[in-house]
């Protein structure tokens, strides 16, 4: 009897029919467009037709097949297990299998202890990721593969999740980095994600097999894997069918009639059982009334046919789209565009300007302004009069439609921006973190996956009867929720409506985190391209239970606001390039690596017609104007300098050498440990500065892919130390931190406290050296010397109690003097700030946030905006401990609350604000951020948060910071002038 | 530093007027514990609300990056009031507070913030903790209550242990559940009358319970044996882990879930570790005495089980600690700390080498003691077959079950090989 294996994956359905000798008699592969049960029925009938057999043994496998298998009462085989069965049969001797699918990524270690690694809550590094990225740069995956063949440079693209990668790619596109390099970098990101995220400590070596769609079709992806793994993997024949093959092999003795199964599958389609939510519209009449109401709100802004008098140009160079508007002195609109920036905004704007001059020959442009991610490059390229931070642009536009607007929410391609307006000033800003986009581009990707345009897809949901309740989660999780809904038989209409609601819920509950609608405001203006979809707009009103204003030009509000701003700032004649100048306009791009400092930024140098250039990708002003750099007052830099004293790595002959990894809490305790160990007669070597390379060198031993980046970096530092072969590596566990008496307790967070144990178990090479990772308690000064003496004795180093006591005393003293130096520096900077009338930013994080690889040079960026930067630990001592509304039990975090209180109590003329660094994945910060925010807001201060990870998204951080400066009423750096 | 300007206290008068709501995490343990509270004069109710509406309530009022258990239990507590089932004027809420370095110690504060957001800031929150982090004049755990509480946990563990070993094999579905219910009622009555608390009586009860379970007609087939370790709430609560033990049994496995007494001893022992490692002295005597007492209780259980060789029994706490030490120091004392790693070793050595390690997404201690130690387990035991499952409001059953099924496929393969 023949055996049928069906592999129902997240995007495709595959089948294999096996004969008696395990030979493949029939195989087929197709996208199922989420119509799983229907497609399965079609397949089953086709198989009967083609093979002429009615009865077979059947097994279903695949990530989307579980529900169907249950419903049809067909045996189910787990897909990894199926792959393994097939590989064991077809490719004996294989050591490792790398299998990428639509939304799955897997590594199977077959030899030396079977282990399977699957991507979990993260869809990074999968086919869906590749599709999404290809869409982003406007090519097909095949073209992307071809482009990657011509690459000469690889950029760092965050490999964790599609949303992060996107925020990395976007600036590259905006800066004009070449497509081949971006394509190759995307493929490399997939490789890094697979190797880093999944291999988790196990080496990929020996005979490697590549399976699944992306690896079958994209040879450059295979090459990229080969290059990273330093081996030559094989993509076998039938690489697409291994799961189906393995499933067929696992068939039991039960026999099924395929026709009957097909009938059952068809019946299954009809049964819908999933969580539902209310329909968007009950009737067509409902919908009509809704449309009429929104139309009326925009009736006062007219469209005009011809320019008259002074006209103003506003451009919004957004992350994925370019918007522009030309207005007259009354704010009426002459012309607009809204289109994809195709990864490079420059030619789009050039074409648009040419179009303007051609269509309206006599047009008199009296002012121009640009906003958005691409602000700098567009301004430089086309001589735009002024730049304006996005938030201000949107507010200016919204006022035109609702003068007393008190809340604006803008959902664009990949950003959600919300701001609350109080006393005609923006007093609170919410931007979505890189992890919670779930906005326009998600809807788009999903629409495209189902072969619809985004507008059509959203429309499908308007009259859906039982929208799927998908909840509020980030894009990646939503992907799986949709998968689940499809499994449960939800129609495309109901999924569409559900997604519209999720976008809204995400914005409300994840970004703004409001508990009820009245919190937002009374006069709400919604805008951004995503709200052009009536389904999203309706979902928003339903969720808020309140009517809102959506201007008809919802999609171009940023550009419209820029135009209004241009009018305000107009001097009568714009400097924007005229038709003649545009004819000679050329744009070339070159990439270089900046050697200004050890950030080693990848710079893209854009030249325009050979006359002027624009450099992008920099995190500080160093490469731009090396000579005219203003004095920077950056306590982050000062701290790094202060630590250099302990990093000389002097080796005296005849003394044992101890290596200390410069990561996590060592960033603060280095003065202590260095002094202690040196006093005891050890040579101390400290690991080098963190770099990308150093991180990658330790990546293969990271056991948890969702842990914070500073912890991940530790692995690289240990590797660097091991390379120096010291006599001992020193990295002690510490449940408790120093007790500064500022809270209820003085713990370290669990990761800082116990990471030495993780290193011990996961970094094999540590077994070969002395690795001191014992528990020490420097909080107990009285007991410490004896305890530490005993620990060292166990490693073969004996000291007298007297020696130890003296060394410990010196260490406590050194630590104090280091902390004092930091505090004194802050004092000095505060005086300077006052004298020079500069704003002060308390950049509040934790000691390890001074690592440039962790903070991505954002400290320098803030200095570049003209502010004086000080740290949380430098001013915490200036405030008396107070009772917080959270359990205040971690030493580092207690400083955050004190620093916030200090800022809250500062005088307005001191211009002090706080910006909090938050490491992605830091569970403790879920507690601290709300508390810091509430301390600041109670005093009427603005709370600003910068979430940092592997990813470098200086652009988003910049918007946030400039908005803060603008909202706080400071001269927002030189850019605004 | 506790002062009471910051939150409404549970006052002595409230003992008469207010019902204390407690999110249910361990059905057997908690129902017994309920009678301890009631005997002491408190009105209590355990909440079993579940489903998306509860999670949504949690998401609405709790920082979305907070741990899943916080979102779930705070969701349950506020849902209880918002649904109209409980009058906020006569309701108090209770949460457990460990006081350790894990952020779970902050649930109480998160709950208060959530109540404020919901306009319910006057509802008192009672923190149950051993560290004296917070005090409520009206709610006090007397030594007798503490003792009785521990004993209910012991009974709970014992019943759960035996039930789990009978359910997968029983000939007639529901036999084990009936015994469980019978004893739940019987023990509740005993505890109300302050019976069943002496070592002698406990021993007697234990024998009777074991006899009952041993008498269930079973067919012992060979099934894959699966252990569950993880963060406390998702490890035990049906709502937290989406009925994981039931799912595993349905899939043809036998399940072992290490008891909560281990966690009690681990928690009580932390102060001793602080003394050993850092020379900190606070609370050492209480810690010594309490650990000694709970160990004695455990010994009673182990002593009885000696006579029932058909049932697997836990290894005694000191041995468990030593076993853990082979991989991770017992100085790791936040969250579930070294105990979680030690339980993995214990399970594997007892033949439950297939392990589901459950944790809320982004759980800090689990990065260390769960995921961080799996590599060590795999190196130490060739029979280890561990899968880590994250729980999160956004996590879908499909993904979780798929991973568990892989683990089970491998487990079954191992069974066939041997």
């Amino acid at each position: 009897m023949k055996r049928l294996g069906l592999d129902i994956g997240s995007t495709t359905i595959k089948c294999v029919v096996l004969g008696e000798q395990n030979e493949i008699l029939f195989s087929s592969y197709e996208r199922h467009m989420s119509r799983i049960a229907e497609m399965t029925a079609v397949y089953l009938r086709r198989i009967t037709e083609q093979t002429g057999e009615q009865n077979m043994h059947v097994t279903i496998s695949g990530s989307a097949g579980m529900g169907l298998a249950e419903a049809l009462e067909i045996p189910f085989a787990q897909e990894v297990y199926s792959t393994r069965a097939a590989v064991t049969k077809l490719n004996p001797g294989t050591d490792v299998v790398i299998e990428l699918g639509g939304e799955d990524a897997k590594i199977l270690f077959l030899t030396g202890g079977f282990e399977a690694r699957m991507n979990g809550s993260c869809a990074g590094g999968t086919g869906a990721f590749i599709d999404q990225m290809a869409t982003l740069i406007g090519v097909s995956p095949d073209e992307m593969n071809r482009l990657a063949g011509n690459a000469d440079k690889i950029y760092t693209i965050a490999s964790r999740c599609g949303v992060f990668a996107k925020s990395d790619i976007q600036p590259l596109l905006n800066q004009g980095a070449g497509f081949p390099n971006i394509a190759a970098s995307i493929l490399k990101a997939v490789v890094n994600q697979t190797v880093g995220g999944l291999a988790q400590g196990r080496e990929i070596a020996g005979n490697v097999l590549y399976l699944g769609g992306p690896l079958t079709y994209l040879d450059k992806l295979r090459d990229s894997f080969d290059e990273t793994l330093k081996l030559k993997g094989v993509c076998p024949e039938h690489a697409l069918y291994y799961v189906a093959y393995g499933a067929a092999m696992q068939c039991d003795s039960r026999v099924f009639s395929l026709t009957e199964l097909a009938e059952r599958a068809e019946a299954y389609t009809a049964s819908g059982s999933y969580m539902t939510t209310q329909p968007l519209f009950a009737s067509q009449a409902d919908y009509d009334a809704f449309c009429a109401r929104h139309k009326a709100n925009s009736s006062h802004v007219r469209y005009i046919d011809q320019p008259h008098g002074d006209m103003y140009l506003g451009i919004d160079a957004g992350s994925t789209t370019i918007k522009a508007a030309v207005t007259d002195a009354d704010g009426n609109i002459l012309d607009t565009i809204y289109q994809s920036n195709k990864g490079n905004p420059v030619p789009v704007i050039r074409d648009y300007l040419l179009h303007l001059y051609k269509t309206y020959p006599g047009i008199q442009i009296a002012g121009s302004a640009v906003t958005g991610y691409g602000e700098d490059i567009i301004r430089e390229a086309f001589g735009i009069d002024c730049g304006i931070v996005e938030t201000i642009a949107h507010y200016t536009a919204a006022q035109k439609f609702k003068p007393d607007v008190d809340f604006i929410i803008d959902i664009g391609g990949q950003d959600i921006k919300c701001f609350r307006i109080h006393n005609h000033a923006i007093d609170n800003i919410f931007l979505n973190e890189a992890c919670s986009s779930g906005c326009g581009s998600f809807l788009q990707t999903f629409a495209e996956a189902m072969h619809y345009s985004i507008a059509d897809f959203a429309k499908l949901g308007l009259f859906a009867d039982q929208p799927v309740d998908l909840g509020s989660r980030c894009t990646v999780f939503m992907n799986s929720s949709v998968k689940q809904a499809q499994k449960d038989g939800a129609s495309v209409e109901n999924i569409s409506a559900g997604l519209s609601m999720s976008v809204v819920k995400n914005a409300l509950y994840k970004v703004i985190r409001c508990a009820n609608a009245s919190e937002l405001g009374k006069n709400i203006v919604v805008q951004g391209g995503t709200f052009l979809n009536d389904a999203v707009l309706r979902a928003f009103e339903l969720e808020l239970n309140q009517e809102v204003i959506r201007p008809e030009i919802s999609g171009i509000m940023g550009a419209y606001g820029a135009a209004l701003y241009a009018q305000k700032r107009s001097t009568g004649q714009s400097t924007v390039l005229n038709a003649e100048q545009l004819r000679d306009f050329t744009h070339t791009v070159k990439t270089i690596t900046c050697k200004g400092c050890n950030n080693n930024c990848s710079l893209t140098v854009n030249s325009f017609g050979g006359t002027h250039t624009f450099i992008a990708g920099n995190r500080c002003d160093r490469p731009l104007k090396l000579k005219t750099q203003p004095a920077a007052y950056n306590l982050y830099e000062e701290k790094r300098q202060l630590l250099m004293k302990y990093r000389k790595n002097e080796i005296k002959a005849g003394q044992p050498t101890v290596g200390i990894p410069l990561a996590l809490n060592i960033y603060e305790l280095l003065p202590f440990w260095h002094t202690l160990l040196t006093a005891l007669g050890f040579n101390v070597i400290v690991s080098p500065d963190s770099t990308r390379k150093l991180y990658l060198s330790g990546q293969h031993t990271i056991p948890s892919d969702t842990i914070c980046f500073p912890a991940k970096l530790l692995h690289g530092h240990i590797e660097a130390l091991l390379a120096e072969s010291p006599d001992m590596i020193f990295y002690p566990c510490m449940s408790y931190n120093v007790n500064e008496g500022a809270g209820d307790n003085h713990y370290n967070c669990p990761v800082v406290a116990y990471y030495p144990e993780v290193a011990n178990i996961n970094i094999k090479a540590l077994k070969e050296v002395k690795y001191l990772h014992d528990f020490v308690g420097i909080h107990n000064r009285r007991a410490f010397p004896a305890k530490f003496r005993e620990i060292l004795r166990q490693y073969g180093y004996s000291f007298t109690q007297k020696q130890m006591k003296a060394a410990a005393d010196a260490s406590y003293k050194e630590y104090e003097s280091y902390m004092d130096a930091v505090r004194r520096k802050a004092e000095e900077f505060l005086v300077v700030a006052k004298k020079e009338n500069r704003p002060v930013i308390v950049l509040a994080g934790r000691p390890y946030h001074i690592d440039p690889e962790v903070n991505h040079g954002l400290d320098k960026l803030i200095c570049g905006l003209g502010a004086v930067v000080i740290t949380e630990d430098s001013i915490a001592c200036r405030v008396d401990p107070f009772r917080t509304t959270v359990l205040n039990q971690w030493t580092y975090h207690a400083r955050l609350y004190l620093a916030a209180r200090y800022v809250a109590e500062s005088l307005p003329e001191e211009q002090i604000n706080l910006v909090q660094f938050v490491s992605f994945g830091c569970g403790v910060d879920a507690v601290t951020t709300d508390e810091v925010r509430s301390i600041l807001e109670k005093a009427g201060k603005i709370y600003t948060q910068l979430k940092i990870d592997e990813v470098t998204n200086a652009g988003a951080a910049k918007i946030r910071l400039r908005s803060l400066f603008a909202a706080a009423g400071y001269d927002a750096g030189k850019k605004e002038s | 530093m506790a002062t009471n300007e910051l939150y409404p206290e549970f006052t002595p008068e409230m003992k008469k007027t207010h019902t204390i709501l407690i999110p249910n995490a361990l059905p057997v343990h908690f129902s017994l514990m309920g009678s301890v509270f009631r005997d002491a004069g408190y009105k209590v109710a355990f909440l079993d609300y579940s489903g998306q509406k509860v999670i949504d309530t949690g998401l609405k009022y709790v920082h979305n990056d907070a741990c899943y258990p916080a979102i779930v239990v705070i969701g349950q507590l506020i849902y209880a009031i918002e649904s109209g089932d409980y009058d906020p004027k006569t309701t108090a809420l209770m949460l457990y507070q460990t006081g350790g370095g894990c952020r779970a110690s902050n649930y109480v504060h998160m709950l208060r913030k959530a109540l404020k957001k919901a306009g319910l800031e006057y509802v008192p929150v009672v923190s149950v903790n051993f560290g004296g982090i917070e005090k409520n004049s009206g709610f006090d755990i007397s030594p007798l209550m503490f003792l009785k509480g521990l004993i209910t946990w012991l009974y709970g563990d014992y019943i759960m242990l035996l039930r789990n070993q009978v359910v997968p094999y029983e000939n007639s579905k529901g036999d084990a559940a009936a015994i469980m219910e019978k004893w739940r009622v019987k023990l509740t009555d005993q505890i109300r009358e302050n019976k069943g608390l002496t070592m002698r009586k406990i021993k007697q009860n234990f024998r009777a319970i074991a006899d009952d379970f041993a008498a269930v007609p079973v067919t012992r087939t060979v099934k894959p044996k699966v252990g569950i370790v993880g963060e406390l709430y998702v490890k035990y609560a049906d709502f937290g882990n989406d009925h994981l033990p039931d799912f595993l049994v349905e899939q043809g496995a036998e399940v072992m879930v290490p008891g909560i007494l281990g966690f009690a001893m681990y928690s009580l022992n932390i102060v001793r570790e602080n003394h050993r490692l850092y020379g900190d002295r606070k609370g050492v005597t209480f810690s010594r005495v309490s650990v000694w007492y709970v160990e004695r209780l455990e010994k009673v259980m182990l002593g009885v089980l000696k006579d029932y060789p058909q049932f697997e029994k836990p290894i005694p706490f000191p041995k468990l600690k030593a076993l853990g030490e082979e991989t991770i120091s017992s100085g790791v004392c936040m969250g579930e700390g070294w105990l979680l790693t030690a339980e993995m070793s214990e399970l594997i050595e007892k033949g439950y080498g297939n392990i589901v390690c459950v944790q809320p997404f982004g759980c800090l201690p689990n990065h260390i003691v769960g995921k961080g130690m799996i590599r060590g387990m795999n190196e130490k035991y060739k029979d280890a077959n561990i899968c880590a499952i994250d729980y999160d409001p956004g996590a879908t059953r499909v993904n979780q079950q798929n991973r568990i099924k892989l683990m089970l496929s491998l487990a079954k393969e191992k069974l066939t090989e041997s």
Side-chain angles (χ1 to χ4, degrees), chain B residues 228-403:
Chain B
I228 300 176
V229 298
E231 185 277 335
L232 220 51
Y233 185 79
V234 290
K235 176 179 171 188
Y236 292 119
D238 287 338
F239 186 25
N241 61 34
D242 206 4
H243 298 268
L244 176 62
D246 298 343
F247 173 75
L248 289 167
V249 170
E250 256 169 53
Q251 296 292 317
E254 184 200 314
V255 181
M256 170 81 83
V257 188
I260 195 152
L261 221 53
F263 184 76
M265 284 185 274
Y266 152 83
S267 298
L268 295 168
N269 180 60
I270 290 174
V271 171
R272 279 164 77 190
E273 295 299 327
N274 287 344
H275 180 248
R276 176 175 71 89
L277 296 167
Y278 314 124
D280 299 351
R281 288 202 178 121
K282 207 180 133 206
V284 177
T285 313
F286 174 76
S287 173
R288 283 208 183 109
V289 173
S290 53
V291 174
W292 168 83
Y293 178 73
V294 185
E295 279 180 17
R296 257 191 77 204
L297 289 177
E298 194 187 40
K299 268 186 201 142
V300 174
M301 169 163 82
L302 298 177
V304 171
L305 282 174
K306 250 188 213 142
D307 300 335
Y308 298 87
Q310 68 269 51
F311 296 127
E312 267 311 333
K313 52 182 186 291
I315 55 178
F317 184 74
K319 274 200 179 152
L320 183 65
K321 190 159 157 266
L323 185 60
E325 285 276 3
E326 290 170 21
T327 308
I328 193 168
S329 164
S330 46
V332 176
C333 290
M334 294 181 194
E336 289 64 41
W338 60 264
L339 178 72
L340 195 156
T341 315
E343 284 180 350
M344 287 201 271
S345 288
E346 179 193 12
L347 285 165
I348 299 169
E349 297 202 347
K350 288 211 164 299
Y352 295 78
N354 312 296
I355 293 176
V356 189
C357 176
V358 295
Q359 63 254 315
F361 180 75
C363 173
L364 294 176
N366 266 284
H367 281 308
I368 312 293
V369 298
K371 286 183 182 171
M373 293 298 130
I374 291 178
R375 188 188 165 107
M377 289 293 116
N378 287 334
E379 273 169 14
K380 190 171 168 195
Y381 303 103
K382 77 175 194 340
D383 284 337
N385 175 21
I386 306 171
C387 74
I389 304 287
D390 282 352
Y391 289 83
D392 181 276
T396 54
R397 277 202 320 273
V398 170
N399 255 330
Q400 294 166 342
Q401 293 184 354
N402 191 26
R403 280 155 182 278

Side-chain angles (χ1 to χ4, degrees), chain A residues 14-83:
Chain A
K14 285 136 285 191
C15 78
V16 161
V17 176
L18 292 186
E20 300 297 335
Q21 310 299 319
N22 286 326
E23 73 280 19
I24 296 179
L25 300 175
F26 174 82
S27 66
S28 178
Y29 171 101
E30 214 168 310
R31 288 195 171 228
H32 59 52
M33 315 293 172
S34 308
R35 296 193 298 268
I36 291 167
E38 274 168 81
M39 287 292 291
T40 305
V42 171
Y43 253 67
L44 289 166
R45 292 187 196 282
R46 194 187 298 160
I47 291 161
T48 307
E49 271 167 36
Q50 305 236 341
T51 61
E53 300 266 349
Q54 180 61 252
N55 296 323
M56 289 187 192
H57 303 294
V58 183
T59 297
I60 288 186
S61 186
S63 54
M66 205 191 300
L68 191 67
E70 269 168 32
L72 302 186
E73 292 167 16
I74 296 176
F76 176 79
Q78 206 278 342
E79 78 264 15
V80 172
Y81 195 72
S82 300
T83 303

Side-chain angles (χ1 to χ4, degrees), chain A residues 81 84 201 704 883 887, chain B residues 6 106 276 367 375 403 413:
Chain A
Y81 195 72
R84 178 165 173 255
S704 182
R883 185 87 193 149
L887 185 63
Chain B
L6 287 147
N106 252 304
R276 176 175 71 89
H367 281 308
R375 188 188 165 107
R403 280 155 182 278
E413 181 185 279

Side-chain angles (χ1 to χ4, degrees), chain A residues 403-468:
Chain A
D404 55 352
V405 55
D406 56 9
F407 193 84
I408 299 170
I409 173 164
D410 181 297
I411 304 186
Q414 68 160 345
D415 324 288
I416 300 176
K417 294 184 277 278
C418 311
F419 10 101
R420 191 173 289 152
I421 292 125
H422 187 64
N423 287 336
H424 301 287
I426 292 173
D427 89 338
N428 212 338
I429 303 157
F430 308 89
L431 298 177
N432 59 323
E433 303 306 333
C435 76
S436 62
S437 289
C439 26
S441 61
F442 173 66
L443 276 178
Q444 186 176 7
T445 312
F446 223 90
E448 280 167 7
M450 299 195 187
H451 295 256
Y452 289 101
S453 76
I454 181 167
D456 289 346
F457 182 68
K459 244 182 230 152
L460 283 176
L462 287 175
F463 299 105
D465 54 345
Q466 292 182 310
V468 185

Side-chain angles (χ1 to χ4, degrees), chain A residues 658-721:
Chain A
V658 175
I660 303 181
L662 187 58
L664 293 172
N665 54 341
I666 301 290
Y667 262 101
E668 176 161 311
L669 294 178
L670 184 60
F672 186 93
W673 297 125
H674 186 276
T675 308
L676 183 69
L677 294 167
T678 310
L680 294 173
F682 291 96
N683 291 315
V684 175
I685 56 167
V686 178
S687 61
D689 288 339
S690 304
T691 59
R692 184 78 198 161
K693 208 173 145 200
L694 176 125
Y695 166 60
L696 292 176
S697 75
Q699 196 192 27
H700 66 286
T701 61
I702 299 169
S704 182
D705 59 334
T706 49
I707 204 164
C708 65
F709 185 59
K712 289 179 176 176
L713 266 174
L714 183 274
H715 293 254
H717 284 276
I718 297 278
E719 294 292 338
L721 287 176

Side-chain angles (χ1 to χ4, degrees), chain A residues 175 588-592 603-607 613-616:
Chain A
Q175 292 153 19
T588 52
V589 182
K590 189 170 82 180
T591 53
I592 56 168
L603 302 180
T604 45
V605 182
N606 294 266
S607 341
T613 57
F614 172 75
I615 298 175

